[in-house]
Amino acid sequence: MNPAALDRRSFLRLSLFTGGGLVLGVSLRRSARAGEAEVARVTGVTDANFAPNVYVRIAPDGTVTIFSARPEIGQGIRTSLPMVVAEELEVDFHTVKVVDAPLDPAYGNQTAGGSNSTPQSYLPLRRAGATARVLLLTAAAQTWGVPVTECFARSGAIHHRDSGRSLTYGELVAKAATLPLPDPATVPLKDPKDFKLLGSRVAQVNSLQIVTGQPLFGIDQKVPGMLYAVYTRCPVFGGKVVGANLAAIKALPGVKDAFIVSRTFEGVTALVPGVAIVADSTWSAFSARQQLDVTWDEGPHAGDSWASFVQQAQRAAQSGALKRVRQEGDPDAALAGAAKVVEASYRFPFVSHLTLEPQNCTVTIEGDQVKVLAPTQSADEVRRVVSAYLGLPPANVTVTVTRNGGGFGRRAQGDYALEAAAIAQKVGAPIKLTWTREDDLQHDHFRAAGFDFFKAGLDAQGRLTVLTQQHVGFDPHWCPGPNDYPSNFVPHYRFNLGQLANNIPMGQWRAPRSNTSAWVVCTFLDEVAHAAGRDPVAFNLELLGHKDLVYSPSGKGQPYNAARMREVVRVVAEQSGWGEKLPPGRGRGLGYFYSHLGYVAEVAEVTISKAGDLTVDRVVAAVDVGSQILNLSGAENQIQGSIIDGLGTAWHGELNIEKGRITQSNLQDYPMIRMPEAPRKIEIHYVKTDYPPTGLGEPALPPLAPAVGNAIFAAIGKRIRELPFAKTDLSWS
Amino acid sequence: MSQFTLNVNGRNRSVDVAPETPLLWVLRDHLDLVGTKFGCGVGQCGACTIHLNGAPGRACLTPVSAAAGAKILTIEGLSEQGTHPLQRAWVELDVAQCGYCQAGQIMTAAALLADNAHPTDEDIDNTMAGNLCRCATYTRIRAGIHRAAELAAAGPEGAR
C-alpha cells in the first residue's frame, strides 16, 4: 500500500471516555465517510465497547493501555505492534498493558494473514503514539506556561528542560483530552535513529502465561452450561449423509444428543453435511464417535486418486491445450533458435497446516444474540459466515478472538465456527466443538498440489533468453502464477495454466503460492545454471540484471525490485562462504524469492551420508523487510521458524489421495520435523533498505526448499523434482 | 462411571468419570487444568506431557484409572509463580511463538534436567524428539534448556 495514501486515509481521534482517560484511536478506513462513522463511534466509546483498529488509553492513574487489533497466531503481533505505539508515545514497554480490541467493522482490516499486519499498521500506529505524545507535551507546556519546544517526553512523563519540572502522563490526561487534535500530517514522528524500543529484543507480552499453562487458547475456553461436541464429515470431499446409527449413539454414556446436520453453507468457508455428537465432556463425545456408523453418499469424487491426478496432469501438459495466461516475445521461435534448451518438470503434493491446536470453537446463542469464542485469523470472516448461516444481522454476532495455537493460513477459514453455530442452534445450549487431529488433518483447506513443466533456452553466452512454464493444478488462486519471478526478466516468456477437475478444499498456507512457486522456479533456474556451466550465484545475479525496477517486456503489471533482491543474494553468498570448496557428500544451494513484500535469499549447507541420510548443517539467510525490524527477538524467531518449517514441509510433507479421501490420518503417517532434524546453525543477516517495514510470518519460508534441494544436487548430483525430499533415495557412492 | 481420587500438583482431587477416560481430558474438562494440551491424541506430539511419579508421560494415553494413586504433576504445578529455571529461561529467551506446545516441551525438559543437570545438544535432541513444535522454535527450545541448566546451577536467585 502507498504509505502516503494510507496516511491520508488514516486519522486520529481523541476524546474523554467514561472512565476518564485519554482515548486515541487510529483507523485504516479507506473512505472518509466510513472515517466519520468511526469518529462518532470512538467519541461515544465506553470502556466496554470501543473497538478501533488500534487503540491507546491513558488512565488518570497513568496506566497506559494499548489495544491490539489483530489475532496473535504465533507471529508475535500482539507484542510488536504495541511496541510501535509505545516507541512514539515514549513509555516504558514493560509498564504498558496490552489488551485485545474486539472486532468492529468500522475499523478496517483486523485479519492476520499475508504478513500484512506490519505494513498496514506501522505508520498509523506511529502516528497514534506520536499524536498522543504531542498532546501531552502541549498540555504540559500550557500548564507551565512555557513554550512546547522547551519540553520533552520520556518514560511516561513530560519534562521541562530548563526548570527540571515534570508531570506524568496520568497527571496530564484531563487537560490533554480537552485539546484540539493536531493535523496528523503535522505531527512529528521520531527519527528512527532515536528509537530505543523498536529494533530491540522484547519477549512476548504473554510469555509468563504461556509457560505457566494459563487458558489463553480457544480450546481452553469454558462457558457456563457448555456441552461438548464433535462433528463427523464425509471422508470423500463433497459427500453427504444418508443415515447413521443415531439411536445407538444417543444411548451411550454422557451423550446428550446426536443428529445429522444437513443444512449446509456454500462458499470458501463452507459448512459441509455431517453428524454431530453432543456430550457432557470432550471424551464422552470422542469415545461415542468411535461407535458412530454413518452411511455416506460419497458423490462424484469418490474415484479421485493422486495417481490419476498425476496422469491427468501429464496428459494435460502434453496436450498443448492449456490456457495461455501470459506471453511476452516469441517463445517458440526463441526456443527453436536457442543454443541450448533445458527441460524439466516438477510435482508437489497437497500438505496440511496441522496447527497444533486443532480447530475448535465455542458458541453461545441467546435469543438473536450469538457469542463466538474462536482461535481465528479472521474474526470478520467468522462473523460473516455465522451471521449469514443463522440469518442474523452481523452486529448480532460477537466474535472474541482467543490466542491461536498456530495459524499458517488455516484459520483464515471459519468452517469450524459454522459447525459450532449449527450445532449450538440445534441443541439450544452453549457448545464447544473440538476437532480431533484426524478431523483436522483430513478436512483442512490444504496447500494446493501442482505440476510444473518448464522449458528454457540459453544463448551462446549461456544467458537465459526464453522461459516457458506450464502449471497444471487444482486451484488457480493458490498455485504458482504468471507474474512470479523471473517472468519480467526474460525477453521471451510464456505461462500456461491447466486445471484438474476436483472437489478438494484448498486455501492459503504460509506464504501461499510463493511457497511452491519458489521451489519450482529456483530449482529450475539452478538446473539451467548448471546446464549453462555457470556458477548458480553468478548466473542468478546476472539474470537479476542491472536495473533497479524491472517491468515486464510489455511494460504491463507491477515492477520487480531487482536491486533489493540482488543485494540479499550478494549478502547471502558472501556470508555463507559461497564458492569455498566442500568435500564430497556436502554441498551448498541457493534459494531466493520475493513474497509478501519481503526479499529473502537463503543458502543451505547439507551433508548426505553414503547411505542417503540428509543433514542440513547450516542455513544462512539475508532478509530485506525494509527500514526497521520492530522486535528483534520476534523477527529472529519467525525467520528461524520459517526456515525449519520450510525444511520440514519440503522434506516430509505429503498427503495422498485414494478413493477420493486423504489416506493419512495423524502424526504416525504424516511426519512433521522434529528437533534432531532442525539445522544446528541458522544465521540471519538483515539488509536494511529505505522501504516501509513489512511482516516476517512468511517471506523467509519460500527460499528454503530450493536452497536445500539445490544443495543436495551440489553435494551428490541428484536432482530432486518431486516433493517431499523423503521420496527420493539420496544414497551415493 | 467410577470415582477416582487423583493427586494433582500436590492436591487430592476427586472425579467421577469412566475408567478409560484419558487423564488429559480429566485434567482439562473436569479439573480445569488446561495447560496440558490436546494435540494428536495418539502420543505423537507431546503437547500433553505430564509427570507421573516424576517420570514424563503422555496424558492422552494414560487412562485415569492408571493415574489414580500416582503423583501427577502438570505445568500448573511445576512452580508456584512460573519461576522454575525452564520457565525463567523460556521467558528470558522468548522461546515461544504460538506457545501451544510449550507446556509439553517444558515438562519433558524438566524431566531431562532432573536426570541430567548439564545435557549436551545431542542429549537434548534425543530427549525432545517426541515433542512437536509446529512453529518450529527448536533452535530456542534447545537454547532454553541450556540456559535453564545454567540458571538451575546458579540457584533460585542466581544468574539473573
Side-chain angles (χ1 to χ4, degrees):
Chain A
M1 189 180 290
N2 177 336
L6 185 68
D7 187 28
R8 277 197 306 278
R9 289 163 185 154
S10 68
F11 68 94
L12 303 155
R13 185 62 190 167
L14 181 71
S15 70
L16 270 175
F17 73 104
T18 51
L22 172 65
V23 176
L24 184 70
V26 56
S27 167
L28 296 173
R29 291 301 297 186
R30 293 177 184 217
S31 76
R33 195 165 165 199
E36 284 163 21
E38 180 203 349
V39 172
R41 191 179 288 271
V42 177
T43 307
V45 295
T46 68
D47 208 357
N49 69 1
F50 51 48
N53 182 281
V54 172
Y55 204 80
V56 178
R57 185 174 90 205
I58 305 172
D61 70 358
T63 305
V64 175
T65 303
I66 300 178
F67 286 81
S68 166
R70 304 245 189 172
E72 176 60 60
I73 62 174
Q75 84 283 46
I77 217 74
R78 201 172 185 276
T79 304
S80 58
L81 292 186
M83 284 171 67
V84 177
V85 181
E87 176 72 66
E88 290 285 354
L89 186 56
E90 295 286 3
V91 289
D92 297 331
F93 193 64
H94 67 271
T95 67
V96 166
K97 254 172 74 182
V98 176
V99 171
D100 292 317
L103 174 66
D104 193 313
Y107 295 95
N109 187 1
Q110 284 183 263
T111 294
S115 296
N116 275 330
S117 301
T118 297
Q120 292 178 358
S121 307
Y122 181 67
L123 192 56
L125 291 184
R126 288 185 67 193
R127 292 198 182 283
T131 302
R133 165 170 43 82
V134 164
L135 288 161
L136 292 159
L137 278 164
T138 306
Q142 288 183 3
T143 302
W144 293 325
V146 301
V148 74
T149 49
E150 293 178 7
C151 302
F152 64 97
R154 181 180 293 161
S155 292
I158 303 296
H159 304 266
H160 182 231
R161 189 157 305 158
D162 298 340
S163 68
R165 283 177 292 183
S166 68
L167 286 165
T168 66
Y169 286 179
E171 291 167 329
L172 291 166
V173 155
K175 186 165 187 68
T178 65
L179 298 173
L181 265 180
D183 177 356
T186 68
V187 171
L189 300 178
K190 287 178 71 172
D191 185 330
K193 286 200 293 288
D194 298 328
F195 284 170
K196 296 187 286 279
L197 182 60
L198 291 179
S200 70
R201 303 180 79 89
V202 175
Q204 280 203 59
V205 292
N206 291 108
S207 291
L208 187 62
Q209 290 104 314
I210 289 169
V211 301
T212 54
Q214 300 308 300
L216 296 170
F217 298 93
I219 204 168
D220 301 337
Q221 306 306 311
K222 201 174 208 179
V223 299
M226 180 177 90
L227 295 173
Y228 298 79
V230 67
Y231 191 64
T232 303
R233 307 149 200 87
C234 183
V236 177
F237 304 113
K240 295 182 171 67
V241 188
V242 176
N245 59 337
L246 297 176
I249 296 299
K250 286 186 207 175
L252 292 170
V255 173
K256 302 286 187 186
D257 202 354
F259 50 90
I260 294 166
V261 175
S262 47
R263 189 167 74 84
T264 56
F265 185 84
E266 304 289 330
V268 175
T269 287
L271 173 59
V272 301
V275 180
I277 299 174
V278 179
D280 61 1
S281 72
T282 310
W283 181 249
S284 294
F286 280 13
S287 59
R289 188 214 183 128
Q290 291 167 5
Q291 310 296 318
L292 180 66
D293 184 13
V294 186
T295 304
W296 301 105
D297 168 5
E298 294 185 344
H301 291 279
D304 289 356
S305 72
W306 178 248
S308 77
F309 285 134
V310 171
Q311 287 181 353
Q312 290 172 52
Q314 284 165 344
R315 277 202 300 273
Q318 286 157 10
S319 70
L322 302 188
K323 184 181 170 196
R324 179 173 300 175
V325 184
R326 178 172 165 184
Q327 179 162 314
E328 312 278 352
D330 188 345
D332 293 319
L335 280 169
K340 189 164 198 173
V341 173
V342 185
E343 276 189 67
S345 62
Y346 304 90
R347 75 173 72 147
F348 47 89
F350 291 98
V351 299
S352 187
H353 294 83
L354 215 127
T355 57
L356 197 57
E357 179 194 16
Q359 307 321 316
N360 66 86
C361 184
T362 301
V363 172
T364 305
I365 304 178
E366 284 167 355
D368 64 355
Q369 297 296 312
V370 182
K371 289 182 193 154
V372 181
L373 270 167
T376 177
Q377 292 177 239
S378 180
D380 196 44
E381 175 71 354
V382 167
R383 170 142 76 183
R384 182 184 73 80
V385 296
V386 168
S387 60
Y389 181 76
L390 297 176
L392 294 169
N396 290 27
V397 177
T398 306
V399 181
T400 301
V401 180
T402 65
R403 190 178 185 86
N404 286 228
F408 314 108
R410 172 61 182 89
R411 296 194 227 262
Q413 268 82 25
D415 45 343
Y416 47 96
L418 268 175
E419 293 171 355
I423 296 167
Q425 186 184 38
K426 166 75 166 59
V427 173
I431 288 293
K432 177 157 81 177
L433 170 73
T434 304
W435 288 33
T436 64
R437 174 55 58 200
E438 291 81 3
D439 292 334
D440 193 78
L441 187 140
Q442 298 184 327
H443 295 277
D444 199 349
H445 294 254
F446 303 99
R447 194 281 304 275
F451 306 85
D452 286 86
F453 305 81
F454 286 93
K455 279 186 196 176
L458 296 161
D459 66 13
Q461 287 74 45
R463 290 178 302 216
L464 181 66
T465 56
V466 50
L467 180 73
T468 66
Q469 179 176 2
Q470 300 201 90
H471 175 84
V472 183
F474 298 83
D475 186 333
H477 288 104
W478 306 119
C479 67
N483 301 316
D484 291 354
Y485 180 77
S487 59
N488 286 6
F489 293 78
V490 189
H492 304 283
Y493 175 80
R494 180 161 66 220
F495 186 96
N496 288 353
L497 184 63
Q499 165 81 21
L500 300 174
N502 75 93
N503 195 30
I504 298 166
M506 284 164 272
Q508 44 277 71
W509 190 102
R510 196 174 201 173
R513 300 176 59 263
S514 302
N515 66 61
T516 49
S517 189
W519 178 66
V520 298
V521 162
C522 290
T523 307
F524 186 61
L525 290 176
D526 199 68
E527 296 212 46
V528 173
H530 283 283
R534 307 280 306 278
D535 171 77
V537 166
F539 176 86
N540 281 290
L541 282 174
E542 182 186 274
L543 179 62
L544 284 162
H546 299 288
K547 292 180 187 161
D548 286 354
L549 292 179
V550 177
Y551 289 82
S552 72
S554 66
K556 290 179 194 158
Q558 290 292 311
Y560 185 100
N561 195 319
R564 296 179 75 180
M565 188 55 82
R566 280 195 303 269
E567 184 61 8
V568 291
V569 171
R570 193 193 63 73
V571 168
V572 83
E574 183 181 291
Q575 297 295 333
S576 65
W578 186 268
E580 288 169 18
K581 209 165 160 44
L582 292 170
R586 296 191 61 202
R588 283 188 202 91
L590 169 70
Y592 61 103
F593 213 70
Y594 163 78
S595 80
H596 297 86
L597 305 177
Y599 295 78
V600 181
E602 291 166 6
V603 167
E605 209 172 287
V606 306
T607 300
I608 299 160
S609 73
K610 291 196 171 175
D613 296 317
L614 169 68
T615 306
V616 179
D617 304 305
R618 177 180 180 228
V619 175
V620 183
V623 178
D624 172 2
V625 285
S627 61
Q628 182 67 49
I629 299 295
L630 304 190
N631 181 357
L632 196 54
S633 174
E636 179 189 275
N637 213 353
Q638 290 304 309
I639 296 168
Q640 290 171 339
S642 295
I643 284 169
I644 301 172
D645 184 11
L647 175 62
T649 305
W651 197 341
H652 302 294
E654 180 186 29
L655 294 167
N656 190 25
I657 297 168
E658 284 175 18
K659 296 180 179 171
R661 66 200 76 204
I662 301 291
T663 63
Q664 286 81 0
S665 64
N666 203 322
L667 290 168
Q668 77 281 349
D669 52 13
Y670 189 79
M672 302 288 292
I673 193 165
R674 307 295 179 127
M675 189 185 287
E677 291 181 338
R680 285 283 172 85
K681 288 189 206 162
I682 296 176
E683 299 160 26
I684 300 164
H685 302 275
Y686 298 102
V687 175
K688 292 199 177 176
T689 51
D690 192 22
Y691 292 90
T694 65
L696 267 171
E698 287 159 301
L701 185 137
L704 192 279
V708 172
N710 295 340
I712 291 170
F713 180 79
I716 62 170
K718 275 192 187 172
R719 181 61 70 182
I720 298 181
R721 299 193 181 93
E722 179 177 11
L723 293 180
F725 296 150
K727 289 178 92 82
T728 301
D729 174 11
L730 297 179
S731 61
W732 61 284
S733 53
Chain B
M1 302 290 263
S2 310
Q3 196 79 24
F4 295 95
T5 300
L6 301 175
N7 184 278
V8 185
N9 301 332
R11 284 180 58 199
N12 283 334
R13 311 282 297 266
S14 286
V15 291
D16 188 18
V17 293
E20 71 277 10
T21 307
L23 178 59
L24 169 66
W25 296 110
V26 175
L27 293 170
R28 292 184 57 80
D29 287 354
H30 300 272
L31 300 179
D32 292 330
L33 293 168
V34 296
T36 305
K37 295 298 194 232
F38 169 53
C40 70
V42 294
Q44 294 274 322
C45 77
C48 68
T49 303
I50 43 105
H51 294 183
L52 279 174
N53 294 327
R58 299 285 193 253
C60 75
L61 296 181
T62 306
V64 64
S65 55
K71 283 193 169 172
I72 301 163
L73 184 72
T74 73
I75 188 71
E76 290 92 343
L78 187 64
S79 67
E80 287 279 319
Q81 306 284 335
T83 52
H84 185 282
L86 283 160
Q87 291 168 317
R88 285 156 56 198
W90 250 238
V91 172
E92 180 186 319
L93 300 188
D94 191 27
V95 169
Q97 286 185 31
C98 86
Y100 193 75
C101 74
Q102 299 295 353
Q105 305 278 0
I106 289 171
M107 294 307 284
T108 301
L112 168 66
L113 290 183
D115 280 351
N116 180 352
H118 294 284
T120 64
D121 276 349
E122 283 70 24
D123 296 335
I124 292 170
D125 280 12
N126 292 336
T127 304
M128 302 306 294
N131 284 74
L132 176 66
C133 175
R134 176 62 185 88
C135 304
T137 62
Y138 299 124
T139 311
R140 288 193 179 182
I141 293 172
R142 211 185 265 138
I145 294 172
H146 285 306
R147 178 63 181 146
E150 287 174 14
L151 292 172
E157 297 302 320
R160 297 249 180 185

